[in-house]
Amino acid sequence: MENKRPTWSSRYSFILAAIGSAVGLGNIWRFPYVMGQNGGAVFLITYVILITTLCFVPLMAELMFGKITKKDCIGAYEQVNTKFKIFGFLNNVTAIIIPSFYFVIGGWIIYYMIKSFVNFNIENPVEYLSNFIQNPYATSISTIIFLFICTFFMARGIKKGIEFVNNYMIPLLAVILIVLIAASLNLPNANLGLEYVFKPDFSKFNSQTVLTAMGQAFFTLSVGTGALLTYGSYIKEDKCIVQSAYTIIFSSILFSVLAGIMIFPAVFSFGLEANSGAGLVFVTLPKVFMQIPHGGIIASAFFILLFCAAITSGISMLEVPCATLVERLKISRLKACIIIFFAVALISIPATLSFGILGNIKLFGKTIFDILDFSASNILLPLNSIILCLIAGWFLKIKGEMIFKNDIFAKIFDIGLKYIVPMVLIIIFYLGLR
Ligand code: PFF
């Protein structure tokens, strides 16, 4: 009776869901602008090296942790030692804080998507964005709609909800991305954008490149929230997860690169700035959409793309507290989703309003949105990952030989898990706090 936990229908469903979690705004909204601010191709190279080496270790550890314990985050840590329960709790806190700012951007995407369906005629994108984000009603309602969609599908359960969404949205996302790339590459001077993505300028490389690429890699892989632990806990016994980990890493790189190939040729073709920061998608691209033939349709396709990416990731974050509430409090999934809906709404509304009427509320010079982003990305994610590696390596005794047939790889993995990755993460954690 004990084990009435849901499981994925197939290995394919699990991989698709894990890709859905990994591929999100981090790849399509954040990656291009962070790359733009950090020197283009040289950032891409650093990101690829880190994600395939250092990040592989905690990714594997988190999936194995879930697969071995078959519990929600708190239960999983408790199974290793009751004193470790607190770390599972920390995962849950992270998985509530990240959506609280992630869904704000999700709300913006919904608003722009609807705008593109109606009439994408934005004369002055800077002014348009600034008017919108300062409008408390429009932004709050958009965020709540985004949150509602995520919790609605979550409430339907693993198979009817999460698998259903991923089965449709990931292929749709891939198709739209390819169509948009084709459109972007057909613009005059598209090669300048391609050069920017692929031709490294090593003079732009510095320690900040490594730090930012590392943070980006963790965020895009969804490592450190417990989302992969929870998804991993729904894997059936016989399913092999090593290839799944490779697939997650590969798709994360692929979608980030494809997002760059979609965005930068268009940006360069119109002589716009590649390093315009977070506004790249909401300010720079609308300028492009306004100037190209069928710009309205292309804008719709683009915002549907962002919407799909954000929803599949958003659901995976919320699955962490959902599994915890269902398994710890023994309540129904529906009740858990309602609680989560209100908890996330309570934090994300002030975050939404921090671009407007609550903009004056600041702590250490940061707005509510920035505080949530900073505390999750710079503190909680690395901290959770350090704890995860140490506990998986020293207490749960996850070993490289469970993963690799090759002894040398197995040994490297062991050393990575127990020493190298925690040490590197501690350094990053320290630097990120300054
Ligand atoms: N990997 C997601 C992205 O790149 O947008 C973000 C994310 C999803 C972070 C799920 C954490 C998480 F648990």
Side-chain angles (χ1 to χ4, degrees), residues 256-272:
S256 297
V257 173
L258 291 181
I261 302 180
M262 164 182 69
I263 289 176
F264 289 115
V267 169
F268 279 88
S269 179
F270 289 96
L272 300 168

Side-chain angles (χ1 to χ4, degrees), residues 384-405:
N384 288 339
S385 304
I386 295 167
I387 296 169
L388 168 83
C389 289
L390 291 176
I391 293 190
W394 292 94
F395 295 91
L396 190 64
K397 303 224 181 312
I398 289 178
K399 290 252 183 295
E401 63 195 35
M402 301 170 174
I403 301 163
F404 296 108
K405 293 202 177 74

Side-chain angles (χ1 to χ4, degrees), residues 65 80 397:
F65 209 144
V80 182
K397 303 224 181 312

Side-chain angles (χ1 to χ4, degrees), residues 92-102 347 371-373 375-376 380:
N92 277 277
V93 172
T94 315
I96 291 283
I97 291 186
I98 293 189
S100 303
F101 65 87
Y102 198 88
I347 318 177
I371 292 168
L372 293 170
D373 183 0
S375 54
L380 291 167

Side-chain angles (χ1 to χ4, degrees), residues 165-194:
V165 168
N166 283 300
N167 283 348
Y168 286 100
M169 286 198 174
I170 303 292
L172 180 66
L173 197 151
V175 171
I176 296 180
L177 195 54
I178 290 166
V179 172
L180 290 180
I181 288 174
S184 181
L185 290 181
N186 264 323
L187 293 169
N189 297 325
N191 58 321
L192 293 179
L194 287 181

Side-chain angles (χ1 to χ4, degrees), residues 56-57 60 398 400 403-404 409-417:
F56 173 80
V57 174
M60 215 40 236
I398 289 178
I403 301 163
F404 296 108
F409 284 161
K411 200 84 216 129
I412 294 175
F413 181 87
D414 290 342
I415 298 171
L417 184 63

